[in-house]
Amino acid sequence: MSDSEIITLGICGELIGMDSENAWYSFVKRNFPHLFPTLCCRTRFNRTRRALLQVTELLRQKLAQSFPIPASRYFVINSFPLPVCRFGRARYCRSFRTDGANYGKCSSKKETYFGFKVHALIMLEGYIMAFEVTPALVDDREGLQDLAEHRFGLVIFGTKATPKNPFLMTCAERDMPDVTEAY
């Protein structure tokens, strides 16, 4: 199976909202064998797809530039947990420790988890303009700094920025976007 087919299948799975790699692979294998007669085994498919994530991200950026996405200066920054295993198994999970996985807290779900945190910069119209995966302990404001570093004249709404926060002063000094606290 070619890299382009794997990238295509990966993007299609994300677009229709399939959260499970295994469920998506099984769905394709069951429903589209005529389109992918040389479909490789599930583990090879998932391993290759993960290895091609940087290429997939570059393609996503090029596609975003090709389609008429409405111009906006108003964005929302948000983050969500990306656990890599169940909390009870975290001390035995060695797979992602070298990649930076650690313990973090999700206040909205009132839970502690082991894994990563995804920070996303989203237009008010719903388009995801940028995202970043960080270790779970990274503060949301650090994710905002990374995502907004080379973007000027934006107004970004978030939940962790307060007027007494030194991060806002850093934003002003570096000509970074305005950050407004959401209620």
Side-chain angles (χ1 to χ4, degrees):
M1 185 165 205
S2 70
D3 288 351
S4 61
E5 289 174 313
I6 290 175
I7 290 171
T8 302
L9 284 175
I11 290 173
C12 289
E14 290 172 11
L15 288 175
I16 66 167
M18 283 281 220
D19 291 336
S20 167
E21 293 175 339
N22 297 341
W24 174 240
Y25 178 86
S26 298
F27 178 80
V28 170
K29 187 173 183 177
R30 186 175 50 251
N31 296 305
F32 302 110
H34 59 287
L35 295 177
F36 302 100
T38 59
L39 189 64
C40 56
C41 70
R42 180 186 53 81
T43 55
R44 178 171 294 211
F45 173 81
N46 288 330
R47 220 175 329 153
T48 307
R49 190 186 65 76
R50 282 188 218 111
L52 293 168
L53 281 177
Q54 287 182 329
V55 175
T56 305
E57 174 60 17
L58 288 172
L59 285 171
R60 188 193 67 75
Q61 289 174 2
K62 290 288 185 188
L63 285 172
Q65 292 171 357
S66 301
F67 290 108
I69 296 174
S72 176
R73 61 178 287 232
Y74 298 100
F75 290 83
V76 175
I77 184 91
N78 202 357
S79 65
F80 57 90
L82 182 63
V84 295
C85 67
R86 301 243 184 238
F87 183 75
R89 302 244 345 122
R91 65 180 164 177
Y92 306 111
C93 182
R94 302 196 192 289
S95 301
F96 295 96
R97 286 191 193 274
T98 57
D99 296 321
N102 58 22
Y103 292 94
K105 290 192 180 288
C106 177
S107 57
S108 64
K109 293 183 177 182
K110 296 182 175 78
E111 70 179 9
T112 301
Y113 66 97
F114 179 77
F116 301 95
K117 187 183 286 185
V118 178
H119 307 271
L121 186 64
I122 307 163
M123 293 176 69
L124 292 182
E125 294 82 8
Y127 296 100
I128 297 174
M129 295 308 294
F131 69 92
E132 175 181 58
V133 178
T134 62
L137 280 177
V138 172
D139 189 80
D140 290 348
R141 292 171 287 240
E142 289 181 42
L144 170 62
Q145 278 184 314
D146 293 342
L147 291 174
E149 194 164 17
H150 300 292
R151 301 168 194 267
F152 302 102
L154 303 181
V155 177
I156 299 177
F157 300 94
T159 55
K160 290 219 174 180
T162 59
K164 296 176 186 170
N165 187 334
F167 173 69
L168 290 177
M169 297 166 105
T170 305
C171 286
E173 290 168 4
R174 295 177 58 202
D175 288 330
M176 287 179 65
D178 297 329
V179 179
T180 306
E181 184 172 4
Y183 295 98

